[in-house]
Amino acid sequence: MSAQHQAPPREQFTGQVGFILSAIGSAVGLGNIWRFPGVAYENGGGAFLVPYLIALLTAGIPILFLDYALGHRFRGGAPQAFRRVKGWLETLGWFQVMICIVIAIYYAAVVAWAASFFVYSFGLDWGDDPEAFFFGEHLQLADVGGADPWLTFDFVGAVLIPLVLVWLVVIAVLAAGVVKGVQRANVIFIPLLLIAFGALVVRALFLDGAADGLNALFTPQWDALADPDVWIAAYGQVFFSLSVAFGIMITYSSYRKRRSNMTGPGLVVAFSNSGFEMLAGLGVFSALGFLALESGTTVDELGIAGVGLAFVTFPAIVSEMPAGALFGALFFGSLVMAGFTSLVSILQVVSAALQEKFALSRTTAVLWLGGVLGAVSVLGFSTTTGLILLDTVDYWVNNMGIVLSAILMCVLVVWVYRKAPELRYHLNAVSTAQIGAWWYACVGAIVPVMLVVMLVQTVMIRIDEPYGDYDETYLLYAGWGTVALLVVGALVFWAFRWRGPREYRAWPPYPPVEDPAVRKEASR
């Protein structure tokens, strides 16, 4: 076999703790802090926890195990793992890589905003009108639909400089490798995130009006359980928050040693992610209750989700709090750490795929992806129309791109190529927590059915009415065009000749080998 096809030693996490913290760092991101509380509030309050828990057990954890099994058994990033299932399925791997590319380009911008507001916190620089400060002074948002075009290249220094710095730091982390870069960053940031955000939540719980905010969040509306949209929202929240079905967990699990427990750490990651979402709900709605009391309004009249919650409502809360500068720094510092660890995991998917497909060194792959994606990120999202582009692309890539990826993964791996028994056998052979035949029903039926319903519903809504009252021509290019870009990009990458390692031997052997000597030889 030629030298170019000899597999170099694969990077590996040093142990279970490094892997778990890295996986939690990927799963716990900006959406945990600013999406879950709002979704729960709008979908039944305390009653939402019922479909949420059911969704976690029947969809979140099963699809997480599917990702783990693919990456750990087939020893590669998304393209290589799917290629080893069936050659042409490499295209699905590249579709997931394209999702990561698109997300990374705009996600870095949000991390940069959070970093800027971390600095602003010390002087409460947003003043008495955080909304005008964020949209006007910081982003200098264009008046699209009015005098300004939908896409400009008018750069905003307050966004551009932090965005460049974010890309430089993430390139340095990725270039350092899985252990010295990715693992080390998560081992430092995840405990810090828990301490900082935990301190913020404890303080928020003792604010005047906190009880009113918590009542607004947790008062159950049991009639909501009869609404199918509430169940769809629960499955969507679990699905989007666990970093599944777009290559991250496949890539991370491929860096574990062959004889590594997979299901136990998977349960730790899944419940840690959900636990952090609950913690975010406590902190956010306690703070919202305080702001409602101070401003003489009600919680439902405040911005309770998304960019508005983070960069408008929370600065207003911080301005009213005793020692507001400290708690503003804790909040935006938490956003930076949660966002940065997720960004690292997203880009590691791209780096691993480039290294494996084109036989590139880690440094070369990281410099290429960092240079190209960083430049596109700056061009698209440090301008006066950056927020509008971000909002549009984020909606399409999440609600259509990732959902379609998960549907294809379940249908092709489970139904077309019948790999579920082999993957279940693999997980059980290396893990302490055994998974039963119920897993087949989850990844083969419940997950794809729920996701098909979500996808069809989303497509029908977007056909009937433009997203966000944006111009339809603009949405055709920036929204639907994003989905087309994912498909075309996957086909382009797949068309290049595979230059990386091809030698591969699955372990443990399937069907099982009874002879211990044969099993030992196969595991080498």
Side-chain angles (χ1 to χ4, degrees):
M1 187 173 289
S2 63
Q4 72 171 1
H5 292 157
Q6 294 294 327
R10 187 164 188 81
E11 293 186 272
Q12 294 179 341
F13 288 110
T14 55
Q16 190 158 281
V17 172
F19 169 72
I20 289 175
L21 288 176
S22 298
I24 291 173
S26 174
V28 172
L30 301 174
N32 296 67
I33 297 173
W34 75 31
R35 190 175 189 272
F36 172 78
V39 170
Y41 174 76
E42 293 170 352
N43 289 277
F48 179 76
L49 298 181
V50 174
Y52 176 83
L53 182 60
I54 292 173
L56 177 65
L57 296 176
T58 60
I61 292 173
I63 199 97
L64 181 65
F65 284 169
L66 179 60
D67 270 353
Y68 279 6
L70 285 165
H72 193 244
R73 181 161 187 81
F74 297 114
R75 314 302 296 164
Q80 180 157 279
F82 284 112
R83 175 187 173 90
R84 286 171 173 170
V85 172
K86 189 68 175 179
W88 74 272
L89 277 188
E90 182 192 333
T91 52
L92 177 56
W94 285 110
F95 185 76
Q96 296 189 352
V97 171
M98 286 300 302
I99 290 172
C100 289
I101 287 173
V102 173
I103 291 177
I105 288 170
Y106 69 77
Y107 202 86
V110 185
V111 177
W113 299 346
S116 296
F117 271 68
F118 173 75
V119 176
Y120 295 153
S121 295
F122 293 99
L124 303 180
D125 294 347
W126 45 77
D128 297 329
D129 192 349
E131 184 174 3
F133 178 83
F134 177 62
F135 293 111
E137 188 171 335
H138 183 68
L139 295 183
Q140 299 177 27
L141 188 63
D143 180 23
V144 297
D148 298 324
W150 285 91
L151 184 63
T152 71
F153 292 102
D154 299 329
F155 295 100
V156 180
V159 179
L160 188 151
I161 295 172
L163 182 54
V164 171
L165 293 175
V166 166
W167 277 102
L168 290 176
V169 174
V170 79
I171 288 170
V173 170
L174 292 172
V178 169
V179 173
K180 294 183 179 179
V182 174
Q183 178 177 296
R184 182 173 293 173
N186 283 283
V187 167
I188 294 171
F189 283 141
I190 295 307
L192 279 178
L193 170 62
L194 186 60
I195 293 169
F197 199 74
L200 179 66
V201 170
V202 170
R203 179 67 186 95
L205 288 171
F206 290 95
L207 291 170
D208 293 336
D212 295 332
L214 294 177
N215 285 333
L217 173 61
F218 288 115
T219 299
Q221 301 163 29
W222 296 112
D223 58 325
L225 297 182
D227 184 354
D229 288 342
V230 170
W231 289 83
I232 292 173
Y235 276 85
Q237 175 61 35
V238 166
F239 179 74
F240 292 132
S241 70
L242 271 177
S243 293
V244 291
F246 59 108
I248 295 175
M249 294 306 177
I250 291 177
T251 303
Y252 271 13
S253 62
S254 75
Y255 295 128
R256 295 218 66 192
K257 296 176 181 178
R258 284 188 181 271
R259 296 177 181 273
S260 295
N261 186 9
M262 299 305 297
T263 56
L267 294 173
V268 172
V269 170
F271 286 110
S272 296
N273 178 70
S274 294
F276 192 89
E277 290 191 322
M278 300 298 177
L279 187 67
L282 292 173
V284 167
F285 270 81
S286 295
L288 288 174
F290 166 75
L291 181 60
L293 180 67
E294 292 294 309
S295 56
T297 185
T298 57
V299 169
D300 60 353
E301 294 177 6
L302 302 172
I304 59 172
V307 171
L309 170 67
F311 296 102
V312 176
T313 306
F314 245 91
I317 293 169
V318 166
S319 294
E320 299 290 337
M321 288 175 67
L326 170 62
F327 291 102
L330 286 176
F331 177 74
F332 289 108
S334 297
L335 282 186
V336 171
M337 289 185 284
F340 184 80
T341 52
S342 295
L343 179 62
V344 166
S345 70
I346 292 166
L347 286 169
Q348 183 61 36
V349 175
V350 186
S351 175
L354 294 176
Q355 291 176 55
E356 291 163 1
K357 171 87 176 188
F358 300 105
L360 299 176
S361 68
R362 180 177 67 233
T363 303
T364 302
V366 168
L367 290 178
W368 267 105
L369 75 88
V372 174
L373 302 189
V376 175
S377 179
V378 169
L379 284 172
F381 299 100
S382 63
T383 68
T384 56
T385 52
L387 175 61
I388 297 160
L389 182 61
L390 185 153
D391 184 38
T392 306
V393 172
D394 175 66
Y395 181 87
W396 259 264
V397 76
N398 275 285
N399 291 281
M400 296 187 193
I402 297 178
V403 174
L404 178 59
S405 168
I407 293 169
L408 292 173
M409 185 168 71
C410 290
V411 171
L412 292 170
V413 173
V414 176
W415 286 105
V416 177
Y417 293 110
R418 306 282 180 171
K419 287 292 183 178
E422 179 180 347
L423 296 174
R424 178 191 166 209
Y425 169 77
H426 178 89
L427 289 175
N428 286 340
V430 299
S431 303
T432 51
Q434 303 289 287
I435 58 175
W438 58 267
W439 184 68
Y440 299 147
C442 292
V443 295
I446 296 174
V447 172
V449 167
M450 290 300 299
L451 294 181
V452 165
V453 171
M454 287 171 55
L455 182 61
V456 171
Q457 184 183 67
T458 301
V459 171
M460 290 177 64
I461 291 173
R462 292 287 69 90
I463 290 174
D464 288 341
E465 57 184 79
Y467 174 70
D469 295 325
Y470 294 160
D471 178 75
E472 291 188 28
T473 303
Y474 172 77
L475 292 177
L476 178 64
Y477 289 105
W480 297 105
T482 296
V483 178
L485 176 65
L486 299 178
V487 175
V488 172
L491 293 174
V492 169
F493 275 115
W494 173 66
F496 285 98
R497 183 168 65 87
W498 190 277
R499 298 178 180 273
R502 295 179 182 174
E503 181 181 301
Y504 164 73
R505 181 166 49 190
W507 184 88
Y510 185 85
V513 176
E514 299 301 329
D515 187 343
V518 176
R519 285 179 62 95
K520 183 176 181 180
E521 174 63 25
S523 68
R524 290 178 180 173

